[in-house]
Amino acid sequence: GENVEQHPSTLSVQEGDSAVIKCTYSDSASNYFPWYKQELGKGPQLIIDIRSNVGEKKDQRIAVTLNKTAKHFSLHITETQPEDSAVYFCAATSGGADGLTFGKGTHLIIQP
Amino acid sequence: DARVTQTPRDKVTEMGQEVTMRCQPILGHNTVFWYRQTMMQGLELLAYFRNRAPLDDSGMPKDRFSAEMPDATLATLKIQPSEPRDSAVYFCASGFHNEQFFGPGTRLTVL
């Protein structure tokens, strides 16, 4: 089955700086890679996703890149703000509407 | 706006008791997933349905867990008998094609 590794487990950045979270996956058949943001006491919230036929996708201050050859994908947050503080999860799935395999999460801390 | 709803939000029970968690998926979504979140294991897929038919429940302990979807507006996850190691947050998610949207979760504590 799929295995997703996520790094770092904790990331502290100054407000206004950029943050990068990286994930690798094992199953070359995986073709959908979402990112979720989870705040304390809430369910994961889908913030951006990318499919295997695309190398990069942007949505305002967040972007995701995918390298299929190396089997890794990354989340980039620019101009970080206090409300970006949360736990971020990457995930992968092999297509259709199958269940997601999640990374272990990154606790992002935005320092004022 | 359309959201996945889950009940109850919190459940405290004693070992050996039956627990039933309910989920109302977003109208029009044809796929419903159950996940469990713990500190040690993170987010794990338990089971999922498409068009109300069970597709995969390989993530569930079969002897005590069961998942059903009696109609398009209700999915249930039952644990009988419950054990302390079942303590976790259980999430329901619904989706159409790849995107999945999560509910707020049911926090289960088994004493």
Side-chain angles (χ1 to χ4, degrees), chain A residues 31-32 36 38 41-46 49 51 89 93 95-104, chain B residues 9 31 33 35 37 40-45 48 50 91 97-105 107:
Chain A
N31 59 7
Y32 175 67
Y36 286 84
Q38 187 175 28
K42 297 186 178 181
Q45 176 192 3
L46 178 65
D49 57 15
R51 287 168 172 79
F89 292 94
T93 186
D98 295 334
L100 296 169
T101 299
F102 284 87
K104 293 298 187 187
Chain B
R9 293 296 311 278
T31 312
F33 304 83
Y35 291 90
Q37 185 174 36
M40 292 298 295
Q41 300 299 326
L43 278 158
E44 303 174 286
L45 176 68
Y48 72 99
R50 184 175 301 144
F91 289 105
H97 295 302
N98 291 122
E99 294 179 337
Q100 296 183 28
F101 298 91
F102 282 69
R107 179 175 297 276

Coordinates of all heavy atoms in Angstrom, one line a residue, chain A residues 31-32 36 38 41-46 49 51 89 93 95-104, chain B residues 9 31 33 35 37 40-45 48 50 91 97-105 107:
Chain A
N31 N -2.1 9.5 -7.8 CA -2.3 10.5 -8.8 C -3.1 11.8 -8.2 O -3.4 12.6 -9.0 CB -3.0 10.0 -10.0 CG -4.3 9.4 -9.7 OD1 -4.8 9.5 -8.6 ND2 -4.9 8.8 -10.7
Y32 N -3.3 11.8 -7.0 CA -4.0 12.9 -6.4 C -3.4 13.2 -5.0 O -3.3 12.3 -4.2 CB -5.5 12.6 -6.2 CG -6.3 13.7 -5.5 CD1 -6.5 14.9 -6.1 CD2 -6.9 13.4 -4.3 CE1 -7.2 15.9 -5.5 CE2 -7.6 14.4 -3.6 CZ -7.8 15.6 -4.2 OH -8.5 16.6 -3.6
Y36 N -4.2 19.4 3.8 CA -5.3 19.8 4.7 C -4.7 20.6 5.9 O -3.5 20.4 6.3 CB -5.9 18.5 5.3 CG -6.9 17.8 4.4 CD1 -6.4 16.9 3.4 CD2 -8.3 18.0 4.4 CE1 -7.3 16.2 2.6 CE2 -9.1 17.4 3.6 CZ -8.6 16.5 2.6 OH -9.5 15.9 1.8
Q38 N -5.5 21.6 9.8 CA -6.4 21.2 11.0 C -6.1 22.1 12.1 O -4.9 22.2 12.6 CB -6.1 19.8 11.4 CG -7.1 19.3 12.4 CD -7.0 17.8 12.7 OE1 -5.9 17.2 12.6 NE2 -8.1 17.2 13.2
G41 N -9.3 21.0 17.7 CA -10.7 20.7 17.9 C -11.6 20.7 16.7 O -12.8 20.5 16.8
K42 N -11.0 20.8 15.5 CA -11.7 20.8 14.3 C -11.3 19.7 13.4 O -10.3 19.1 13.5 CB -11.6 22.2 13.6 CG -12.1 23.3 14.4 CD -12.0 24.6 13.6 CE -12.6 25.8 14.4 NZ -12.6 27.0 13.6
G43 N -12.1 19.4 12.4 CA -11.7 18.5 11.3 C -10.8 19.0 10.3 O -10.7 20.3 10.2
P44 N -10.0 18.2 9.6 CA -9.1 18.7 8.6 C -9.9 19.4 7.5 O -11.0 19.0 7.1 CB -8.5 17.4 8.0 CG -8.7 16.4 9.1 CD -10.0 16.7 9.8
Q45 N -9.3 20.5 7.1 CA -9.9 21.4 6.0 C -9.0 21.4 4.8 O -7.8 21.7 4.8 CB -10.0 22.8 6.6 CG -10.6 23.8 5.5 CD -10.4 25.3 6.0 OE1 -9.8 25.5 7.0 NE2 -10.8 26.2 5.2
L46 N -9.6 21.0 3.7 CA -8.9 20.9 2.4 C -8.5 22.4 2.0 O -9.4 23.2 1.9 CB -9.8 20.3 1.3 CG -9.2 20.2 -0.1 CD1 -8.0 19.3 -0.1 CD2 -10.3 19.7 -1.1
D49 N -5.0 21.2 -3.6 CA -4.7 19.9 -4.0 C -4.1 19.9 -5.4 O -4.1 21.0 -6.1 CB -6.0 19.0 -4.1 CG -7.1 19.5 -4.9 OD1 -6.8 20.5 -5.7 OD2 -8.2 19.0 -4.8
R51 N -3.1 17.3 -9.0 CA -3.2 16.0 -9.6 C -1.9 15.7 -10.4 O -1.1 16.6 -10.7 CB -4.4 16.0 -10.6 CG -5.7 15.9 -9.8 CD -7.0 16.2 -10.6 NE -8.2 15.9 -9.8 CZ -8.7 16.7 -8.9 NH1 -8.1 17.8 -8.6 NH2 -9.8 16.4 -8.2
F89 N -1.5 18.6 7.0 CA -1.3 17.2 6.6 C -1.2 17.1 5.1 O -2.0 17.7 4.4 CB -2.5 16.3 7.1 CG -2.5 16.2 8.5 CD1 -3.3 17.0 9.3 CD2 -1.8 15.1 9.2 CE1 -3.4 16.8 10.7 CE2 -1.9 14.9 10.5 CZ -2.7 15.8 11.3
T93 N -3.5 9.5 -2.8 CA -4.4 8.4 -3.2 C -4.2 8.0 -4.6 O -3.7 8.8 -5.4 CB -5.9 8.8 -3.0 OG1 -6.7 7.7 -3.2 CG2 -6.3 9.9 -4.0
G95 N -6.2 7.2 -6.9 CA -7.2 7.5 -8.0 C -8.6 7.1 -7.7 O -8.9 6.5 -6.7
G96 N -9.5 7.4 -8.6 CA -10.9 7.2 -8.4 C -11.3 8.0 -7.2 O -11.0 9.2 -7.2
A97 N -12.0 7.5 -6.3 CA -12.4 8.2 -5.1 C -12.0 7.4 -3.9 O -12.7 7.2 -3.0 CB -13.9 8.5 -5.0
D98 N -10.7 6.8 -4.0 CA -10.3 6.0 -2.9 C -9.9 6.7 -1.7 O -9.7 8.0 -1.7 CB -9.0 5.2 -3.4 CG -9.4 4.2 -4.5 OD1 -10.5 3.8 -4.6 OD2 -8.5 3.9 -5.3
G99 N -9.7 6.0 -0.6 CA -9.3 6.6 0.7 C -7.9 7.2 0.6 O -7.1 6.8 -0.2
L100 N -7.7 8.2 1.4 CA -6.4 8.9 1.5 C -5.5 8.3 2.5 O -5.9 7.8 3.5 CB -6.6 10.4 1.9 CG -7.4 11.2 0.9 CD1 -7.8 12.6 1.6 CD2 -6.7 11.5 -0.4
T101 N -4.2 8.3 2.1 CA -3.1 7.9 3.0 C -2.4 9.2 3.5 O -2.0 10.0 2.6 CB -2.1 7.0 2.4 OG1 -2.7 5.8 2.0 CG2 -1.0 6.7 3.4
F102 N -2.4 9.5 4.8 CA -1.9 10.8 5.3 C -0.5 10.7 5.8 O -0.1 9.7 6.3 CB -2.8 11.2 6.4 CG -4.1 11.8 6.0 CD1 -5.2 11.0 5.8 CD2 -4.3 13.2 5.8 CE1 -6.5 11.5 5.4 CE2 -5.5 13.7 5.4 CZ -6.6 12.9 5.2
G103 N 0.2 11.8 5.7 CA 1.4 12.0 6.4 C 1.1 12.2 7.9 O 0.0 12.4 8.3
K104 N 2.2 12.3 8.7 CA 2.0 12.4 10.2 C 1.7 13.8 10.6 O 1.4 14.1 11.8 CB 3.2 11.9 10.9 CG 3.5 10.4 10.7 CD 2.3 9.6 11.3 CE 2.6 8.1 11.3 NZ 1.5 7.3 11.7
Chain B
R9 N -20.7 14.8 19.2 CA -19.4 15.4 19.1 C -18.5 14.8 20.1 O -17.3 14.7 19.8 CB -19.5 16.9 19.3 CG -20.3 17.7 18.2 CD -19.6 17.6 16.8 NE -18.2 17.9 16.9 CZ -17.7 19.1 16.9 NH1 -18.5 20.1 16.8 NH2 -16.4 19.3 17.0
T31 N -19.5 9.5 -2.2 CA -18.5 8.7 -1.5 C -18.4 9.2 -0.1 O -18.3 10.4 0.2 CB -17.2 8.8 -2.2 OG1 -17.3 8.6 -3.6 CG2 -16.3 7.7 -1.6
F33 N -16.4 8.4 3.7 CA -15.3 7.8 4.3 C -15.3 7.9 5.8 O -15.8 8.9 6.4 CB -14.0 8.5 3.9 CG -13.7 8.5 2.4 CD1 -14.3 9.5 1.6 CD2 -12.9 7.6 1.8 CE1 -14.1 9.6 0.2 CE2 -12.7 7.7 0.4 CZ -13.3 8.7 -0.4
Y35 N -12.6 7.9 9.0 CA -11.2 7.9 9.4 C -11.1 8.0 10.9 O -12.0 8.4 11.6 CB -10.5 9.2 8.9 CG -10.3 9.2 7.4 CD1 -11.2 9.7 6.5 CD2 -9.1 8.7 6.8 CE1 -11.0 9.8 5.2 CE2 -8.9 8.7 5.4 CZ -9.9 9.3 4.6 OH -9.7 9.3 3.3
Q37 N -8.4 9.3 14.1 CA -7.2 10.0 14.4 C -6.7 9.8 15.8 O -7.5 10.0 16.8 CB -7.4 11.5 14.1 CG -6.1 12.4 14.3 CD -6.3 13.8 13.9 OE1 -7.4 14.4 14.1 NE2 -5.3 14.4 13.3
M40 N -0.7 8.6 18.2 CA 0.3 7.6 17.8 C 0.2 7.3 16.4 O 1.2 7.2 15.7 CB 0.2 6.3 18.7 CG 0.5 6.5 20.2 SD 2.2 7.1 20.4 CE 3.1 5.6 19.8
Q41 N -1.0 7.0 15.9 CA -1.1 6.5 14.5 C -1.5 7.6 13.5 O -1.5 7.3 12.3 CB -2.2 5.4 14.5 CG -1.9 4.2 15.3 CD -0.6 3.5 14.9 OE1 -0.3 3.5 13.7 NE2 0.2 3.0 15.8
G42 N -1.9 8.8 13.9 CA -2.3 9.8 13.0 C -3.6 9.5 12.4 O -4.5 8.9 13.1
L43 N -3.9 10.0 11.2 CA -5.1 9.8 10.5 C -5.1 8.5 9.7 O -4.3 8.3 8.8 CB -5.4 10.9 9.6 CG -6.0 12.2 10.2 CD1 -5.7 13.4 9.3 CD2 -7.5 12.0 10.4
E44 N -6.1 7.6 10.0 CA -6.1 6.3 9.3 C -7.5 6.1 8.7 O -8.5 6.3 9.4 CB -5.9 5.1 10.3 CG -4.6 5.2 11.2 CD -4.6 4.1 12.2 OE1 -5.4 4.2 13.2 OE2 -3.9 3.1 12.0
L45 N -7.5 5.5 7.5 CA -8.7 5.2 6.9 C -9.3 3.9 7.5 O -8.6 2.9 7.6 CB -8.5 5.0 5.4 CG -9.7 4.5 4.6 CD1 -10.8 5.6 4.5 CD2 -9.3 4.1 3.2
Y48 N -14.9 2.9 3.5 CA -15.6 3.9 2.7 C -16.6 3.2 1.9 O -16.6 2.0 1.6 CB -14.6 4.7 1.9 CG -13.9 4.1 0.8 CD1 -14.3 4.3 -0.5 CD2 -12.7 3.4 1.0 CE1 -13.7 3.8 -1.6 CE2 -12.0 2.9 -0.1 CZ -12.5 3.1 -1.4 OH -11.8 2.6 -2.5
R50 N -19.2 3.9 -1.7 CA -19.5 4.7 -2.9 C -20.9 4.3 -3.3 O -21.3 3.2 -3.5 CB -18.5 4.5 -4.0 CG -18.8 5.3 -5.2 CD -17.7 5.1 -6.3 NE -16.4 5.4 -5.7 CZ -15.3 4.8 -6.1 NH1 -15.3 3.8 -6.9 NH2 -14.1 5.1 -5.6
F91 N -13.5 10.7 12.3 CA -14.0 11.6 11.3 C -14.7 10.9 10.2 O -14.3 9.9 9.7 CB -12.8 12.4 10.7 CG -12.2 13.4 11.6 CD1 -10.9 13.1 12.2 CD2 -12.8 14.6 11.9 CE1 -10.3 14.0 13.1 CE2 -12.2 15.5 12.8 CZ -10.9 15.2 13.3
H97 N -15.7 12.4 -6.8 CA -14.4 12.3 -7.4 C -13.3 12.3 -6.3 O -13.4 11.6 -5.3 CB -14.2 13.3 -8.5 CG -15.1 13.2 -9.6 ND1 -15.2 12.0 -10.4 CD2 -16.0 14.0 -10.1 CE1 -16.2 12.2 -11.3 NE2 -16.7 13.4 -11.2
N98 N -12.3 13.1 -6.5 CA -11.2 13.0 -5.5 C -11.3 13.8 -4.2 O -10.9 13.3 -3.2 CB -9.9 13.5 -6.2 CG -9.4 12.5 -7.3 OD1 -9.3 12.9 -8.4 ND2 -9.2 11.2 -6.9
E99 N -11.9 15.0 -4.3 CA -12.0 15.9 -3.1 C -12.8 15.2 -2.0 O -13.8 14.7 -2.2 CB -12.6 17.2 -3.5 CG -11.7 18.0 -4.5 CD -12.3 19.3 -4.9 OE1 -13.5 19.4 -4.8 OE2 -11.5 20.2 -5.3
Q100 N -12.2 15.4 -0.8 CA -12.9 14.9 0.4 C -13.0 16.0 1.4 O -12.1 16.8 1.7 CB -12.1 13.7 1.0 CG -12.0 12.5 0.2 CD -11.3 11.4 0.8 OE1 -11.3 11.2 2.0 NE2 -10.7 10.5 0.0
F101 N -14.2 16.1 2.0 CA -14.5 17.2 3.0 C -14.9 16.5 4.3 O -15.8 15.7 4.3 CB -15.6 18.1 2.4 CG -15.3 18.8 1.2 CD1 -15.5 18.2 -0.1 CD2 -14.6 20.0 1.2 CE1 -15.2 18.8 -1.3 CE2 -14.2 20.6 0.0 CZ -14.5 20.0 -1.2
F102 N -14.2 17.0 5.3 CA -14.3 16.3 6.6 C -15.3 17.0 7.5 O -15.5 18.2 7.5 CB -12.9 16.4 7.3 CG -12.0 15.3 6.9 CD1 -11.4 15.4 5.6 CD2 -11.6 14.2 7.6 CE1 -10.5 14.4 5.1 CE2 -10.8 13.3 7.2 CZ -10.2 13.4 5.9
G103 N -15.9 16.2 8.3 CA -16.8 16.7 9.4 C -16.0 17.1 10.6 O -14.8 17.0 10.6
P104 N -16.7 17.5 11.7 CA -15.9 18.0 12.9 C -15.4 16.9 13.8 O -14.6 17.2 14.7 CB -17.0 18.9 13.6 CG -18.3 18.2 13.2 CD -18.1 17.8 11.8
G105 N -15.9 15.7 13.5 CA -15.4 14.6 14.3 C -16.2 14.2 15.5 O -17.0 15.1 16.1
R107 N -15.3 12.7 19.3 CA -14.2 12.4 20.2 C -14.7 11.3 21.1 O -15.6 11.5 21.9 CB -13.8 13.6 21.0 CG -12.6 13.2 22.0 CD -12.1 14.5 22.7 NE -11.6 15.4 21.8 CZ -10.3 15.4 21.4 NH1 -9.5 14.4 21.8 NH2 -9.9 16.3 20.5

